[in-house]
Amino acid sequence: MSTLAVGTIKSISSAAPVFQNTSGTEKGQLVKAWLNFNGTGTPAIRDSFNISSITDDATGFFTINISTAMADANYSVTGGIGTTTGLNTFLFILTEANKSKTTGLFQINTLGTGSYISSIDPEHCYIAIHGD
């Protein structure tokens, strides 16, 4: 086994670098963007990559703005939330109800359950974006 120790990996084209096995089969790609933010009060980005800002649309609704646009709107958004408010179940939903998902932004709805499901502003929200 060999170890590659470099400071920068650069693609020979405008496409992102791809990880392949010895037979040339693609084994993975890097995320295009990621985000860790606090959604309580005024949303605050703790850390991120390729995210320019967050808009607080309403309780539990956030628009996430991507710095460098995706190639198309067919990208995948995954995420999770957490809070210490005592709610026992947390849901993270990508929604297009109020704004269409575009190459430069998408909207999420964060939900928690107590005695019923309702939109909440989570203390911890984590998002990863994959796509072209």
Side-chain angles (χ1 to χ4, degrees):
M1 177 166 66
S2 299
T3 301
L4 176 64
V6 298
T8 302
I9 296 176
K10 186 176 181 179
S11 177
I12 60 171
S13 70
S14 61
V18 174
F19 298 96
Q20 297 180 343
N21 64 14
T22 56
S23 63
T25 302
E26 184 175 324
K27 301 306 281 184
Q29 295 182 5
L30 302 172
V31 295
K32 294 289 189 157
W34 60 267
L35 172 64
N36 175 339
F37 76 94
N38 181 343
T40 62
T42 300
I45 296 174
R46 289 187 183 96
D47 205 355
S48 68
F49 171 72
N50 198 24
I51 300 295
S52 60
S53 63
I54 304 168
T55 303
D56 188 352
D57 299 318
T59 299
F61 286 88
F62 303 93
T63 297
I64 312 302
N65 299 289
I66 302 169
S67 297
T68 301
M70 303 296 286
D72 56 47
N74 297 321
Y75 54 90
S76 171
V77 178
T78 56
I81 64 170
T83 186
T84 58
T85 61
L87 298 173
N88 55 16
T89 303
F90 308 104
L91 303 170
F92 170 94
I93 298 172
L94 176 66
T95 179
E96 297 180 32
N98 296 327
K99 294 186 178 182
S100 294
K101 185 172 98 173
T102 70
T103 59
L105 65 83
F106 59 92
Q107 188 179 59
I108 62 169
N109 181 206
T110 53
L111 304 170
T113 62
S115 55
Y116 58 92
I117 296 175
S118 62
S119 294
I120 62 166
D121 287 341
E123 294 172 65
H124 303 277
C125 190
Y126 314 101
I127 297 171
I129 303 167
H130 294 85
D132 293 330

